[in-house]
Amino acid sequence: MTHQFPSLSPEQKKELSDIAQRIVAPGKGILAADESTGTMGKRLQKINVENTEENRRCFRELLFSSNPSIANSVGGVIFFHETLYQKSDSGKLFPQVVKEKGIVVGIKVDKGTAGLNGTDGETTTQGLDGLSERCAQYKKDGCDFAKWRCVLKISDGCPSALAIAENANVLARYASICQQNGLVPIVEPEILPDGAHDLQRCQYVTEKVLAAVYKALSDHHVYLEGTLLKPNMVTAGHSCTKKFTPQEVGMATVTALRRTVPASVPGICFLSGGQSEEEASLNLNAINQVPLHRPWKLTFSYGRALQASALAAWQGKAANKGAAQEAFCNRAKINGLASKGEYKPSGSADQASMQSLYTASYVY
Amino acid sequence: MTHQFPTLSEAQKRELHETALRIVSPGKGILAADESVGSMAKRLAQVGVENAEENRRQYRQILFSADDRINGCIGGVIFFHETLYQHTDNGVPFVKLIRDRGILVGVKVDKGVVPLAGTCGETTTQGLDGLSERCAQYKKDGAVFAKWRCVLKISEANPSKLAITENANVLARYSSICQQHGIVPVIEPEVLPDGDHDLRRCQYVTEKVLAAVYKAMSDHHVYLEGTLLKPNMVTPGHSCSIKYSPEEVAMATVTAIRRTVPPAVTGIAFLSGGQSEEEASINLNAINNCPLAKPWILTFSFGRALQASALRAWRGHKENEKAATEQFIKRAEINSLACRGKYTGGDNHGEAGQRVYGSSHAY
């Protein structure tokens, strides 16, 4: 590490930094609408809708043509490749529809996971081949940020040192290539919630994974001010018998991030994983109320946690479009408030939700 | 990295974190009075004083007998081993003198640099052997924090990957051992200012070094909230022909640490390196006024930059002791202002008022 060689000019750095700031402007987060064709198949099957290109277009049209006030809560939308070239009912390309609302357009650029031989079912993520050329084209086609998802899991033998190092490295390569082409890379090292592990174990693993990610980003000379992080919240595994409050989730999550994510990263946009819409909002809200100094924006990058109600209201019927859009706008607004720690759930004001429930004596 | 194994209990973590917070309480920094016998030889030679144990004792007494004015300026004092067991003229142990003022006692625990074979004059630092037992003893003897200095240099071929990883690793081992004994480790990865490299090069190297340090800390399961960092400020090399303003030094320094030092680290106490007393204070002040968000306390851990005037005023003469102590108090008060961004002094500082920090994108 003796000499610095040029990576980005000051103008390129400023462009990336400005884009990142716009996406995570106060009160805003990201709509992850980048479900692959296969994943959309699963979503549509739940409401008995056929997985055709037109139906996928219809549903995304529903989301993107919502009331323009959506831009108060949504700073960016992540597209899937197919969707980037589809048009609204009025014949306008979707990126343009979104941009006209003042929302930044992003694109999923990874090509899914691939097995790591010799591990216990662990994976890395592919998609680096020709990535530079693809990024240049996406930039021309209206994108200003990209997303790449790596996956790790917790079990007796996982995550292994190889899985952590390999995924951190591939995320850093992707980030470096994106920045060369004017795209802000969203770095997503998801640790799955599958398993019976407790909150503490998830926190430990998350800290190790994120430390490796930021070391790799440093090694690859990535400009941190022009990146965003999309991590899992720190939660107990799905089959963990112990229940934890949003305050405990918040404290564990913020502690992990404070120990690993440099202050120069402008924003952290949590994935919702398997959480319900309400759970994801309550946890995000709790995260933004944790009494520790948080030098980055802490907001959302939600897929299911923004779309589930809308999908259920739609049922594939044009007549339900308005109701579906309202459901979507409602969740967006709630998450916008949660990203400022201002979400006050009405209705069932159970005694617990009002009090701080995290054990003050527990040192995370 | 599958399972967590016990390192520190909740009570141990709390103790370490609280100690760290007390050392860097707002307005306070560290007096680095841990010069080895060899280093003291150089200092005393400059004022014509013989490097005898008694002279070293008398000199430290000048610093430690400062009055209550330093209580709000000095959060901790780093001792050299010998000094930890010395007394005042009246037989009061130095450790007691300091502790009774509410100032925390630290001790230098490394045993100096040793060469890394196969590199271009690079070093690592030794001192890990029996460190655990030594820490336990130091804790009994009144120390609550420790310091360990690693050294890196910038040149055509340096710092090498080996020097960076080896020094980061040894700092992490030291930290891990300290924490087991309730001692807060001050982590010092000094990048020397020797050379003619510019500000940008120093920033680049500092970022790489600090990134490696914190990865090593993570690998060694060090509890960051119970540590302090003692880095160099980002400055050009001594023989660099370009001159930079304090604001440029501040912007480069704060940018580098924002990119590498996790917010969980309780405080960053800069070393002064070869800077003059005034230069160090002005730079620290500019750092604290830098308009970028700074999630840690940013203060001082100065040796020469707190003592130079005191040493010169003393010159080994008993009748100069009070005057020498005054010089030290003066610098302590100035740095207390600087670490709060409130130091307005300095004669060659151009016009007061708006300082130009420049855009963070250019760094």
Side-chain angles (χ1 to χ4, degrees):
Chain A
M1 302 290 185
T2 52
H3 288 270
Q4 183 172 20
F5 297 96
S7 47
L8 297 166
S9 69
E11 293 74 32
Q12 286 176 299
K13 284 181 177 175
K14 182 168 197 311
E15 185 195 11
L16 291 166
S17 174
D18 287 349
I19 292 169
Q21 295 288 343
R22 276 166 50 212
I23 296 169
V24 295
K28 299 191 189 185
I30 297 172
L31 163 63
D34 62 320
E35 295 85 356
S36 62
T37 308
T39 304
M40 269 316 283
K42 288 189 240 171
R43 305 273 178 270
L44 296 175
Q45 189 188 35
K46 286 216 180 95
I47 54 168
N48 290 315
V49 172
E50 199 192 341
N51 188 19
T52 62
E53 194 186 331
E54 176 55 19
N55 284 341
R56 294 192 293 274
R57 188 201 69 79
C58 258
F59 183 63
R60 267 67 182 259
E61 142 87 38
L62 186 158
L63 299 173
F64 301 159
S65 65
S66 290
N67 192 299
S69 67
I70 198 88
N72 294 335
S73 318
V74 178
V77 174
I78 316 177
F79 279 65
F80 178 61
H81 179 91
E82 170 192 80
T83 321
L84 203 65
Y85 303 103
Q86 288 180 326
K87 296 184 179 149
S88 66
D89 291 346
S90 54
K92 204 179 278 187
L93 281 168
F94 279 150
Q96 202 184 342
V97 172
V98 166
K99 276 181 131 165
E100 277 170 10
K101 290 184 158 68
I103 300 173
V104 186
V105 171
I107 175 77
K108 183 227 297 283
V109 298
D110 71 76
K111 296 191 170 181
T113 57
L116 281 174
N117 303 319
T119 66
D120 184 16
E122 293 178 295
T123 62
T124 178
T125 296
Q126 55 188 3
L128 291 179
D129 299 352
L131 181 59
S132 189
E133 290 75 15
R134 293 175 58 218
C135 282
Q137 187 60 50
Y138 285 137
K139 181 82 180 180
K140 285 205 193 98
D141 296 340
C143 300
D144 284 313
F145 73 97
K147 179 214 130 191
W148 176 294
R149 177 174 177 260
C150 276
V151 184
L152 295 119
K153 61 179 186 173
I154 297 178
S155 72
D156 225 79
C158 300
S160 66
L162 173 64
I164 293 179
E166 165 60 24
N167 281 288
N169 189 62
V170 89
L171 278 166
R173 276 296 298 135
Y174 141 77
S176 168
I177 293 170
C178 279
Q179 292 195 327
Q180 288 300 304
N181 292 287
L183 295 179
V184 166
I186 295 188
V187 172
E188 181 178 355
E190 174 171 10
I191 297 164
L192 296 175
D194 305 39
H197 55 273
D198 62 8
L199 188 71
Q200 190 159 348
R201 180 105 189 271
C202 179
Q203 183 187 331
Y204 175 77
V205 171
T206 302
E207 289 178 12
K208 295 305 182 192
V209 167
L210 290 178
V213 166
Y214 283 96
K215 181 58 165 63
L217 291 175
S218 169
D219 290 345
H220 286 260
H221 317 300
V222 175
Y223 176 60
L224 293 186
E225 291 87 335
T227 65
L228 293 169
L229 179 68
K230 178 168 172 168
N232 50 285
M233 295 180 188
V234 172
T235 61
H238 278 157
S239 355
C240 180
T241 44
K242 191 164 176 220
K243 292 298 155 217
F244 297 89
T245 63
Q247 285 73 21
E248 289 172 303
V249 166
M251 185 58 104
T253 302
V254 173
T255 300
L257 299 171
R258 276 169 52 83
R259 289 174 179 169
T260 53
V261 184
S264 55
V265 173
I268 299 177
C269 316
F270 297 97
L271 58 93
S272 45
Q275 299 180 49
S276 70
E277 288 175 325
E278 189 63 7
E279 207 181 339
S281 300
L282 289 174
N283 283 336
L284 180 62
N285 195 52
I287 282 169
N288 276 286
Q289 293 183 339
V290 171
L292 294 173
H293 184 62
R294 299 165 254 112
W296 348 253
K297 296 277 178 31
L298 291 166
T299 184
F300 58 93
S301 175
Y302 291 168
R304 275 169 288 180
L306 270 172
Q307 301 174 54
S309 294
L311 201 57
W314 181 48
Q315 294 292 322
K317 302 188 171 70
N320 298 336
K321 190 174 174 185
Q325 287 182 321
E326 209 185 303
F328 168 56
C329 288
N330 188 41
R331 278 335 298 177
K333 196 160 161 212
I334 285 173
N335 285 309
L337 289 171
S339 78
K340 290 184 281 181
E342 291 170 9
Y343 174 42
K344 294 179 181 43
S346 60
S348 55
D350 46 313
Q351 64 289 15
S353 71
M354 292 301 126
Q355 289 167 300
S356 170
L357 285 176
Y358 76 85
T359 333
S361 64
Y362 178 63
V363 181
Y364 285 77
Chain B
M1 303 289 184
T2 52
H3 289 268
Q4 184 173 20
F5 297 96
T7 40
L8 299 165
S9 68
E10 292 175 31
Q12 285 177 302
K13 283 182 179 175
R14 222 191 314 270
E15 184 194 15
L16 289 166
H17 188 204
E18 280 167 11
T19 298
L21 283 168
R22 279 171 59 206
I23 296 169
V24 297
S25 295
K28 299 188 188 182
I30 298 171
L31 163 62
D34 62 319
E35 295 84 355
S36 61
V37 173
S39 287
M40 274 314 288
K42 290 188 238 169
R43 308 274 177 271
L44 296 175
Q46 271 169 338
V47 291
V49 175
E50 192 199 343
N51 188 25
E53 189 185 337
E54 176 57 15
N55 287 340
R56 294 193 294 272
R57 186 193 70 79
Q58 282 191 16
Y59 175 62
R60 268 62 182 260
Q61 181 171 254
I62 286 170
L63 302 173
F64 300 161
S65 57
D67 60 39
D68 287 350
R69 280 175 286 164
I70 64 160
N71 290 1
C73 309
I74 304 291
V77 174
I78 315 177
F79 279 67
F80 178 61
H81 177 92
E82 169 191 83
T83 321
L84 207 63
Y85 304 103
Q86 289 180 327
H87 306 71
T88 66
D89 292 342
N90 303 334
V92 178
F94 280 154
V95 169
K96 184 176 195 306
L97 189 66
I98 291 297
R99 284 177 74 179
D100 285 351
R101 321 275 297 278
I103 300 173
L104 299 185
V105 169
V107 59
K108 182 229 294 289
V109 299
D110 70 76
K111 295 189 170 181
V113 299
V114 290
L116 283 172
T119 66
C120 183
E122 294 178 296
T123 63
T124 179
T125 297
Q126 58 184 6
L128 291 178
D129 297 353
L131 180 59
S132 188
E133 290 74 18
R134 294 174 59 217
C135 281
Q137 187 60 50
Y138 283 137
K139 188 86 197 288
K140 287 205 193 100
D141 296 341
V144 293
F145 73 99
K147 178 215 130 189
W148 175 294
R149 177 173 176 260
C150 277
V151 184
L152 296 120
K153 60 178 186 174
I154 298 178
S155 72
E156 258 299 305
N158 295 336
S160 67
K161 186 152 179 276
L162 172 64
I164 294 178
T165 48
E166 166 59 25
N167 282 287
N169 190 62
V170 88
L171 280 166
R173 274 297 294 137
Y174 141 78
S175 299
S176 169
I177 293 169
C178 281
Q179 292 196 325
Q180 290 299 308
H181 296 281
I183 290 188
V184 169
V186 173
I187 295 157
E188 181 177 356
E190 174 171 12
V191 176
L192 294 175
D194 304 39
D196 60 5
H197 53 272
D198 63 9
L199 187 70
R200 189 175 296 258
R201 179 103 190 270
C202 178
Q203 184 188 330
Y204 176 77
V205 170
T206 301
E207 288 177 13
K208 295 304 182 193
V209 167
L210 291 178
V213 166
Y214 285 98
K215 181 57 166 61
M217 293 298 152
S218 170
D219 291 344
H220 286 260
H221 317 299
V222 175
Y223 174 59
L224 293 187
E225 291 86 336
T227 66
L228 294 170
L229 179 68
K230 178 169 171 167
N232 51 286
M233 295 183 190
V234 173
T235 62
H238 278 157
S239 354
C240 180
S241 44
I242 309 174
K243 291 299 153 213
Y244 297 88
S245 66
E247 288 70 36
E248 289 174 299
V249 164
M251 186 58 100
T253 302
V254 174
T255 300
I257 53 182
R258 274 169 53 84
R259 288 175 180 169
T260 53
V261 184
V265 171
T266 296
I268 300 179
F270 293 96
L271 60 95
S272 44
Q275 300 181 49
S276 70
E277 289 173 322
E278 189 61 6
E279 206 182 338
S281 301
I282 288 182
N283 283 338
L284 179 61
N285 189 59
I287 282 169
N288 275 283
N289 284 307
C290 179
L292 298 176
K294 309 174 277 304
W296 345 251
I297 298 211
L298 294 170
T299 184
F300 57 93
S301 175
F302 290 168
R304 276 169 287 181
L306 271 171
Q307 302 174 49
S309 293
L311 194 60
R312 273 196 306 270
W314 178 50
R315 300 202 75 84
H317 300 306
K318 209 152 179 60
E319 61 271 23
N320 295 340
E321 278 176 358
K322 273 202 148 34
T325 304
E326 274 305 307
Q327 288 296 318
F328 165 58
I329 295 173
K330 182 174 154 207
R331 283 328 302 177
E333 289 180 322
I334 285 174
N335 285 307
S336 175
L337 288 170
C339 77
R340 284 174 287 161
K342 289 184 164 42
Y343 179 46
T344 52
D347 32 66
N348 52 341
H349 205 29
E351 73 279 8
Q354 291 285 63
R355 302 289 171 212
V356 180
Y357 278 87
S359 157
S360 59
H361 305 295
Y363 285 80

